[in-house]
Amino acid sequence: MPYLTSTGTARRTSGAEQLGFGVPGYAHPLLAPVEWAELARPGTPLHWAVLDIDNGPGARPDPHCLEAAGRLRNARERAVHGEEPLDAVRASAGRLLGRLDLVQGNRPFGELVADARSYLDWYRVDGFYLDRCPAERQDLPAVRRLTSTLSALLADSDSAQHGAQHGGHLVLGHDTHPYPGYAEAADQLVTFRGAWTDYRWSQVAEWTAAYPPGRFAHFVHGVPRTHLDEAVRIARWQGAGTIFFTDRTGEADPGKGRGQSDPFATLPRYWDEIVSRIGPGISE
């Protein structure tokens, strides 16, 4: 089994931690209305979803994105207050994250902070997804400076909205295993993003065994329906608590614009099946 650690370290496969979805970014709500509606459906085990208007928050509030953000926020509020008993995962998570593109560390700090403020002011996001985050040791101080600033902005925003600090959520989109120090710079790391043909033979970095599954996310495209169980087993064995699996591939789903060519921008054809497999009460 190539996805085992070389040391034979026992992974966390008990199922005690509930798997949930992290959605790396659906297309604009006008192009993907069904996808955004599904995120608010009761019983969907959603950890977080990423909002990206125009490679960031855009120049002004988008009414369609405001509506989608409001529906997701209301769904979480209903779960938190026990109005939807099937939404235990959403009640503890269910966040909306604003996408910030770090361009592998080449984006100016001031631009990133300005975009973060716009996301908070317009869409009341619960955190940020730092896409194309660098993974090397020499870039860690700059990323730590950014995540510390974003955490402070989230705390201030949350205090202003709720009168208390509930804490935001930060996800680093490395898409590979980074230098271990990054694990202390954010709440979660995306340590795999790619094709099923690569994922099923992938190996986990040994240092990840020191952290709980909630710290890692995996995004895999091209997963056949017949291999869903295997994909879930790999995710659990490698210590991922947040996943998004789809049978879509960018090459197989051509179209106009990013929203149509990105395999993660639309629902997998087996969406209802995978929701039922990792939803409430499912463990291994």
Side-chain angles (χ1 to χ4, degrees):
M1 298 175 72
Y3 47 81
L4 304 187
T5 58
S6 60
T7 61
T9 302
R11 306 303 295 174
R12 299 161 298 276
T13 58
S14 68
E17 300 86 359
Q18 178 66 56
L19 276 177
F21 295 121
V23 180
Y26 281 148
H28 188 280
L30 275 178
L31 299 176
V34 174
E35 281 75 4
W36 283 99
E38 280 296 310
L39 292 183
R41 188 176 71 173
T44 300
L46 179 69
H47 284 172
W48 44 263
V50 176
L51 180 66
D52 182 21
I53 292 83
D54 184 15
N55 198 31
R60 61 186 61 85
D62 182 306
H64 303 286
C65 293
L66 285 169
E67 182 180 359
R71 285 201 303 267
L72 199 59
R73 187 164 49 248
N74 290 338
R76 187 186 184 201
E77 286 297 314
R78 290 195 299 270
V80 168
H81 295 296
E83 297 174 31
E84 299 290 352
L86 293 178
D87 274 10
V89 174
R90 188 196 303 272
S92 62
R95 297 175 173 91
L96 182 67
L97 309 181
R99 177 179 177 267
L100 300 174
D101 187 356
L102 271 60
V103 196
Q104 300 301 330
N106 294 312
R107 185 94 182 277
F109 175 83
E111 288 185 9
L112 291 165
V113 173
D115 278 358
R117 291 184 184 278
S118 294
Y119 271 121
L120 288 168
D121 292 343
W122 299 341
Y123 302 105
R124 295 171 55 194
V125 296
D126 306 297
F128 299 101
Y129 181 84
L130 280 59
D131 203 5
R132 295 202 287 174
C133 183
E136 302 301 322
R137 181 175 184 174
Q138 63 267 23
D139 297 303
L140 179 56
V143 172
R144 278 179 169 165
R145 178 193 178 203
L146 177 60
T147 57
S148 295
T149 302
L150 295 177
S151 294
L153 289 175
L154 286 163
D156 289 344
S157 175
D158 200 44
S159 180
Q161 292 177 19
H162 305 289
Q165 294 185 4
H166 297 265
H169 196 73
L170 299 178
V171 179
L172 302 183
H174 304 287
D175 303 341
T176 187
H177 288 97
Y179 174 71
Y182 282 94
E184 304 302 326
D187 298 289
Q188 281 188 305
L189 312 180
V190 178
T191 53
F192 186 93
R193 178 171 180 153
W196 166 243
T197 51
D198 296 323
Y199 188 62
R200 68 184 309 189
W201 305 111
S202 64
Q203 292 186 349
V204 66
E206 294 179 11
W207 62 262
T208 63
Y211 296 91
R215 300 299 295 276
F216 304 105
H218 292 172
F219 302 142
V220 190
H221 62 75
V223 182
R225 180 191 300 269
T226 54
H227 288 276
L228 273 177
D229 285 340
E230 182 184 358
V232 170
R233 285 196 298 269
I234 293 173
R236 288 190 181 278
W237 187 262
Q238 293 196 359
T242 300
I243 61 170
F244 192 84
F245 297 155
T246 179
D247 55 347
R248 311 279 184 178
T249 65
E251 294 77 12
D253 301 313
K256 297 181 180 179
R258 172 183 176 275
Q260 297 301 315
S261 61
D262 182 351
F264 300 109
T266 59
L267 287 171
R269 295 174 182 88
Y270 44 62
W271 173 253
D272 287 340
E273 182 175 345
I274 193 172
V275 167
S276 68
R277 289 191 185 206
I278 72 169
I282 303 299
S283 63
E284 295 189 0

